[in-house]
Amino acid sequence: YSDFWVNLLKLPKNIVFQFLSIFTEYSTIDNEKFNEILNYMIIDGSDVMIVEYAIEGIKNKSEIAFNILQSLMGWVNLEPILESGVLDIIIQEIYNPDLTIEVINIISMLINGISSDDVSKIIQGIDIERVITVLRDADLSEVNNDSEEKCKRDINEALLCFGNLICKAGTRSEFSE
């Protein structure tokens, strides 16, 4: 098992991303056996290998890599993300309607690992009105009724999360009239 992750990451990218997508979905489930696997990954450093793989995917504009990174954020070491320079790429994608929610979630999880000044710099570099417009104008026409409700909940959660980011950055006063 010790070579599993090394060997997996050598496979074609589409296979690796599909596996990681499914695997990271399970990382959000509180399951004793799965938690044991996650703990072993932290011990042997394979969690960092997966984060670095997702970072490379983000640098290559892979949408699935954003989803994978978002799922990993709850239990992996955040240092590789903060040190890789990928944060600028992540922030640029906040205006991409297909990734806005994922980017907001990634940024909100990252802010716990950075200073308030850095959070302020991140928020000040974002066109807040544009993000709100992207979320407001989300095209839900191609989803079925069940998915539409989930999309609406995701959008509302993203708006709330984005509001919390703005408050943490101390830019709240810019919006009060």
Side-chain angles (χ1 to χ4, degrees):
Y1 157 73
S2 62
D3 291 337
F4 173 78
W5 293 105
V6 172
N7 292 327
L8 175 76
L9 298 179
K10 291 178 184 176
L11 295 173
K13 288 186 186 315
N14 63 329
I15 293 171
V16 175
F17 280 134
Q18 286 302 316
F19 178 86
L20 290 177
S21 180
I22 294 166
F23 178 79
T24 56
E25 281 183 40
Y26 284 103
S27 71
T28 61
I29 299 170
D30 189 18
N31 172 310
E32 188 175 323
K33 189 65 176 168
F34 197 76
N35 289 337
E36 189 177 321
I37 292 170
L38 299 180
N39 288 333
Y40 281 121
M41 291 177 68
I42 291 168
I43 291 168
D44 73 8
S46 53
D47 63 324
V48 173
M49 290 187 322
I50 293 172
V51 169
E52 290 172 348
Y53 196 89
I55 288 169
E56 285 306 309
I58 288 171
K59 288 179 179 178
N60 292 316
K61 307 290 185 176
S62 168
E63 288 186 18
I64 196 168
F66 281 86
N67 294 321
I68 291 167
L69 186 61
Q70 178 186 331
S71 296
L72 293 171
M73 300 286 292
W75 61 274
V76 297
N77 181 346
L78 301 179
E79 284 183 36
I81 301 163
L82 296 170
E83 294 172 355
S84 68
V86 76
L87 190 54
D88 291 336
I89 296 168
I90 292 170
I91 292 169
Q92 290 170 7
E93 291 299 319
I94 200 166
Y95 308 113
N96 177 342
D98 295 328
L99 293 173
T100 301
I101 293 171
E102 288 83 359
V103 170
I104 289 172
N105 288 332
I106 289 169
I107 292 171
S108 70
M109 291 179 208
L110 277 175
I111 64 170
N112 295 324
I114 59 179
S115 71
S116 294
D117 288 341
D118 289 336
V119 173
S120 294
K121 289 175 190 171
I122 290 169
I123 296 299
Q124 289 171 1
I126 295 173
D127 182 345
I128 294 169
E129 288 182 36
R130 187 172 166 198
V131 172
I132 292 170
T133 300
V134 168
L135 289 168
R136 184 193 67 214
D137 295 343
D139 181 12
L140 304 178
S141 62
E142 295 181 19
V143 297
N144 63 40
N145 289 337
D146 293 337
S147 296
E148 182 177 350
E149 287 305 312
K150 182 185 180 319
C151 288
K152 287 179 181 178
R153 278 193 310 274
D154 288 348
I155 290 168
N156 286 333
E157 287 175 18
L159 283 167
L160 179 62
C161 190
F162 195 61
N164 289 335
L165 283 172
I166 293 167
C167 291
K168 172 140 173 120
T171 58
R172 184 176 181 176
S173 61
E174 295 176 21
F175 302 101
S176 57
E177 297 189 25

